[in-house]
Amino acid sequence: TIAISAGSLSHSGKMQATEAASAFPDPPLNGSDFNLSCPCSGGYPLTLQLGRLTVLTGGVVAASAMAVCATTVSLLGGALIADRLGHSARAGLGHGRAATAGAGAASGAGHGGEGGSSAPVANCTAVAGGVAYGAQHAPPGTLGSGGGGVGGGAGGGVIHLHVAHSLTFSQSGKLSANGGAGLD
């Protein structure tokens, strides 16, 4: 069991936390033997494989890409976040674009769909959004691309959850991997 309260677990390198299956406190879903295997554990900078993860008010687990495999996950005022932890501006497979002439026109990044086009600015026409990549209807497994222009927002990170028993949120619990707003 990992419980985080009024603190944070923030990681930029490679980290893996694993508990033995016999330590899992929750009963199996169907009454039979339960073996939690983590199909999402390969290649993520932060992998938590455990029986129970509880993040209390003020607690934060943050990483650019994380896999959480648990029987029970409870976000009781705390957060699992990967906001703005994807690719930086003008980086990634679907990065936003910037106008070649003039200043200020830059588009949004694509991921499961195309990114948003820019509005026309001064002597620049609108700039098309970044190209779509990754799975449109399946959970994305790649970092979000950054927006166009020098001040384009960073893309969102990746959170992969494999929860066998229950996922509980309080009203203020947060699960988020949003991209950031651009400055252009």
Side-chain angles (χ1 to χ4, degrees):
T1 299
I2 293 180
I4 300 167
S5 174
S8 66
L9 172 61
S10 183
H11 194 67
S12 59
K14 184 99 173 154
M15 180 178 138
Q16 184 163 352
T18 306
E19 279 185 341
S22 61
F24 294 173
D26 296 320
L29 290 174
N30 60 7
S32 63
D33 290 333
F34 178 71
N35 180 18
L36 180 67
S37 61
C38 191
C40 53
S41 62
Y44 288 90
L46 175 62
T47 300
L48 300 174
Q49 186 173 354
L50 52 145
R52 180 184 310 253
L53 174 63
T54 302
V55 188
L56 302 172
T57 300
V60 175
V61 178
S64 61
M66 71 177 85
V68 177
C69 299
T71 54
T72 302
V73 174
S74 301
L75 300 177
L76 306 177
L80 295 178
I81 59 169
D83 291 345
R84 299 174 309 278
L85 295 174
H87 291 289
S88 60
R90 300 179 295 170
L93 295 172
H95 63 83
R97 300 176 180 133
T100 56
S107 67
H111 197 203
E114 292 181 3
S117 297
S118 72
V121 177
N123 295 325
C124 298
T125 59
V127 179
V131 299
Y133 68 99
Q136 184 174 11
H137 300 290
T142 54
L143 296 175
S145 294
V150 175
V158 175
I159 300 173
H160 191 136
L161 294 178
H162 180 74
V163 181
H165 189 268
S166 65
L167 174 61
T168 306
F169 287 87
S170 68
Q171 190 172 15
S172 58
K174 181 177 178 183
L175 175 64
S176 180
N178 292 318
L183 303 175
D184 285 341

